[in-house]
Structures are given as C-alpha cells and as structure tokens.
Amino acid sequence: MLSRLLHPNSREFSSLDEREILSLAVAAEEEDGAIYAEIATKLRDTYPASAKVFEGMSAEEDGHRRRLLDLYVEKFGPRLVPIRREHVRGFLARKPVWLMETMTLEQVRQLAWEMEAGAASFYDAAAGRTTDVAVRKLLGDLAVEERGHANAADRLEAKALGPEERAAEKSEEHRQFVLTYVQPGLAGLMDGSVSTLAPVFAAAFATGDTWQTFLVGLAAAVGAGISMGFTEAASDDGKLTGRGSPLKRGLAAGVMTALGGLGHALPYLIHDFNTATAVAAVVVVIELWSIAYIQQRYMQTPFWRAALQVVLGGALVFAAGVLIGSA
C-alpha cells in the first residue's frame, strides 16, 4: 500500500517483459556501482584501505553492467527502457549516499553485503521470469556471482586490509567516535550536571516546593541543552579539525546537557520534599562519578584525578546553591 502511495505508476515485477527486466538490471548495476564508488571517495581520506575494497566492488558492478548492456543491444537494440527500482513494486530503493555519512564503517560494510544479497535475489527472480535462453543464462550467472560477492569482498578486504591497516582503521574509527560524540557529549554532561546544580537546589531550599523546584530544573536543563547544542554546532564545522559533523556534535552536546540537568530535577516529581532532595543528592553523586568514569574510559584521564576535579567542582556548586537558597 505504501509503495502505491509513493509510486502510483509503479508496476508489478511479474508484469515486466525481458526487455524491461534487462533495462532494470542495467539501471540497478549502474546505481550500485555509483554507490560503491561514492563510498570509496568518502572513505579515501580517512580509511584508504577500505576505500580500495569499495573501489573493487564498484569495478565488479561495472563489469556486470557491461555484460547486461552487451546482451541487451544484441537482443533489443541500443535504446534502453527508462525503468528503475522505484518503478517496480516490492523493490526497496537504495539509501541516498549522503545519508551514509551518518553510518559507521562497519554499518557501511554491512550495507554492502545486504546490497549484494538483494541483487542475487533480484537475478534469481528475473531469471525465473525469462524464456530466452541467453537472457536466462546471464541472469542466472549474475545471481551466482552476486552470492559469491560476499566471498569476493572478503578476499578484496583481506588483500587491502592487512593487520596494520585494520589496526590503523580501528584506531581512526575510535578517534572519530571520541571527537564527534564523546568529547561534546562529555562537555554537555558536565555542563548540564554541574551548572544546573545551583539553580535547582537554590530553588529547592528557597521554596520548599517540589513542583516549583522541578519546573526550575526542567527550564534550566532544556535551556542549557539548547544553548550548548547550538554553541557546539556553530563553533566548528569539522572540516579543518576533523571533529566530524557539526550536527552530530551539536546533538550529542545538547542531549547530554539536557540529560545531565534533568537527572537531579526529576526526583522533585516526588511530593515529599525531604525524600525528593535525598534522591536528588544521590543522583548528583551518580552523575559526577559517571563523568569521572567517562573521562577515564575515553579521555585517558586518571580516574582519581578526574573524580577529584569533577566531585570537588560539583560539591562547590551544590553548596553554593544550598547556601543561596537557604539565605
């Protein structure tokens, strides 16, 4: 039903003739080859060994395209039918390459294996729809080759990715993860957890009202999250520093800032003031120790040094909020 809404003029695969099937296969191979080539281009600077793998896969798809075209010209002449995947019901269109920028290296590789499996299924179905011996033979051969591409890709990967290249790519992927997500997320968590302590606990001790305190904490967390997210996204486009997409960094910083502030605001949904404050204090301790752990885990900061810095800073801000609220 959704396919019909998106492509009201699409056709059932079972209604295609041999000329249309071959034209569709040519278009599919061209698209897959272009996707692999674009992935190789995007990976070349950061993951050169993996880029070679996708260059090899692009060359394989181009070989299939040429064989399909040769047979098509022999059977039907030089003019292809203008038909693509999205014109046939039941076919899933490929993801736009620009969406792949959000995928990890392993996710991109997994996508490639899924593309090959889908191509093999297509050729199996297409071969079953044809009566021409030459067309059926080529489609059947391509189905077998597409299934073997997983092994071919493994061989290409083994050839291009030796132990040193694998270690270098793994290190680079970890570095990109830290730069794009961990650093801005950690900065946001620290800002949200520590900077909102004073207003939340000042409101708590000034009003003694849990609902009003929760509203202050909610406003402080959301406001800090929005501010931190925009600041991180606008501070660096990532092109020169290699820190990755500003949108990803901004989201990481903004979301973690808001979560850090909400952590000790949510307990004030409890109606009893003393219980809510005790729970909030426990949450603050958990937040601060979590920050210290993340610093030690990803930033190689000695745990006790990180704990001392974070806990001491948080304790001072907490004390300031309590003193101001009690004044």
Side-chain angles (χ1 to χ4, degrees):
M1 181 65 181
L2 180 59
S3 177
R4 296 189 183 190
L5 290 173
L6 292 175
H7 304 291
N9 297 320
S10 61
R11 297 173 54 187
E12 297 291 345
F13 179 69
S14 59
S15 70
L16 301 183
D17 59 26
E18 290 168 349
R19 180 167 173 255
E20 291 168 326
I21 287 173
L22 283 179
S23 295
L24 178 60
V26 169
E29 293 291 354
E30 286 178 346
E31 185 178 12
D32 286 356
I35 288 173
Y36 290 145
E38 185 63 19
I39 291 174
T41 299
K42 291 181 179 296
L43 294 178
R44 189 168 292 121
D45 292 339
T46 309
Y47 305 111
S50 284
K52 292 180 181 178
V53 173
F54 285 100
E55 287 171 0
M57 296 179 74
S58 177
E60 293 266 3
E61 302 304 304
D62 188 55
H64 290 180
R65 179 189 62 84
R66 290 197 303 272
R67 290 161 62 188
L68 288 163
L69 277 173
D70 288 344
L71 182 59
Y72 183 92
V73 171
E74 177 186 332
K75 295 288 183 181
F76 305 110
R79 189 180 298 276
L80 289 168
V81 179
I83 184 170
R84 303 183 68 84
R85 284 189 180 93
E86 56 267 28
H87 302 150
V88 181
R89 290 178 194 148
F91 274 76
L92 294 177
R94 300 302 193 204
K95 284 186 177 182
V97 176
W98 59 267
L99 285 179
M100 297 178 189
E101 293 180 359
T102 64
M103 302 174 73
T104 66
L105 183 59
E106 288 305 317
Q107 287 173 328
V108 170
R109 288 175 180 164
Q110 179 61 33
L111 175 66
W113 310 155
E114 292 172 4
M115 288 170 62
E116 298 299 331
S121 297
F122 162 67
Y123 284 125
D124 276 335
R129 291 282 310 143
T130 62
T131 56
D132 185 287
V133 174
V135 175
R136 190 181 185 102
K137 179 180 183 303
L138 176 58
L139 294 176
D141 289 346
L142 290 178
V144 172
E145 290 178 24
E146 293 288 359
R147 283 199 181 83
H149 272 190
N151 295 330
D154 287 340
R155 291 194 297 272
L156 284 169
E157 188 170 326
K159 182 178 179 181
L161 296 177
E164 293 183 3
E165 289 80 6
R166 286 180 183 275
E169 288 199 352
K170 186 175 181 180
S171 176
E172 176 63 22
E173 190 170 17
H174 175 75
R175 187 183 74 85
Q176 284 297 136
F177 175 74
V178 171
L179 289 176
T180 304
Y181 296 104
V182 176
Q183 281 189 353
L186 179 61
L189 184 61
M190 293 177 67
D191 184 81
S193 297
V194 176
S195 68
T196 59
L197 284 175
V200 169
F201 286 99
F205 283 89
T207 65
D209 186 314
T210 56
W211 178 245
Q212 296 300 322
T213 301
F214 169 73
L215 292 179
V216 170
L218 178 63
V222 172
I226 294 172
S227 175
M228 193 73 172
F230 273 104
T231 299
E232 176 61 38
S235 66
D236 174 19
D237 63 8
K239 293 180 180 178
L240 295 179
T241 60
R243 296 179 65 222
S245 165
L247 177 61
K248 294 179 186 177
R249 298 194 331 268
L251 284 173
V255 169
M256 294 308 294
T257 301
L259 289 177
L262 283 173
H264 43 265
L266 288 174
Y268 283 98
L269 289 172
I270 300 171
H271 294 300
D272 182 74
F273 177 80
N274 291 329
T275 302
T277 301
V279 173
V282 171
V283 170
V284 169
V285 173
I286 294 173
E287 289 173 344
L288 297 179
W289 282 100
S290 297
I291 292 170
Y293 170 76
I294 293 172
Q295 284 186 314
Q296 186 270 333
R297 172 69 175 79
Y298 291 101
M299 311 305 292
Q300 284 76 52
T301 303
F303 181 78
W304 290 107
R305 182 193 300 173
L308 180 62
Q309 293 171 346
V310 174
V311 173
L312 179 60
L316 291 174
V317 176
F318 175 83
V322 173
L323 290 173
I324 293 172
S326 301

